């Protein structure tokens, strides 16, 4: 999950051969309900998600600068 703007989230998802489309759609609906109507939620299907330079994976990242 990347917060690109104060009111926008980008969810990067890697799909595997045996993904469950119904569960994926429910998860996205649940996230949208959690963050509210003022938050735009974009979904990007990607081939992989990069690790940081230190080898760790960051689940949530904000690109929003201090307001």
């Amino acid at each position: 999950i990347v917060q690109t703007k104060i009111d926008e989230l980008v969810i990067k998802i890697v799909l595997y051969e045996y993904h469950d489309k119904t569960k994926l759609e429910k998860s996205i609906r649940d996230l949208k309900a959690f963050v509210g109507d003022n938050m735009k939620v974009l979904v990007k299907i990607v081939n992989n998600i990069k690790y940081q330079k230190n080898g760790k994976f960051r689940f949530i990242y904000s690109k929003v600068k201090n307001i």
Side-chain angles (χ1 to χ4, degrees), residues 1-5 7-13 28 31-32 35 39-46:
I1 299 175
V2 179
Q3 184 175 11
T4 54
K5 299 177 186 173
D7 61 349
E8 182 177 275
L9 295 176
V10 176
I11 312 302
K12 294 181 180 181
I13 299 175
I28 293 167
L31 177 63
K32 287 181 177 182
V35 298
M39 183 70 72
K40 185 176 182 181
V41 178
L42 305 172
V43 177
K44 279 182 83 174
I45 305 300
V46 297

Side-chain angles (χ1 to χ4, degrees), residues 7 10 14 18-19 21 26 31 33 37-40 42 53 62:
D7 61 349
V10 176
V14 177
Y18 299 104
H19 71 279
K21 186 176 180 181
K26 181 183 181 328
L31 177 63
D37 294 332
N38 294 330
M39 183 70 72
K40 185 176 182 181
L42 305 172
K53 291 179 184 177
S62 179

Side-chain angles (χ1 to χ4, degrees), residues 13-59:
I13 299 175
V14 177
L15 294 180
Y16 293 97
E17 187 176 345
Y18 299 104
H19 71 279
D20 185 336
K21 186 176 180 181
T22 304
K23 287 182 182 179
L24 175 62
E25 290 171 348
K26 181 183 181 328
S27 296
I28 293 167
R29 277 195 314 273
D30 290 348
L31 177 63
K32 287 181 177 182
F34 180 76
V35 298
D37 294 332
N38 294 330
M39 183 70 72
K40 185 176 182 181
V41 178
L42 305 172
V43 177
K44 279 182 83 174
I45 305 300
V46 297
N47 292 328
N48 59 34
I49 298 174
K50 295 181 182 178
Y51 288 88
Q52 295 180 313
K53 291 179 184 177
N54 63 7
K56 294 183 180 181
F57 181 75
R58 198 167 179 182
F59 291 96

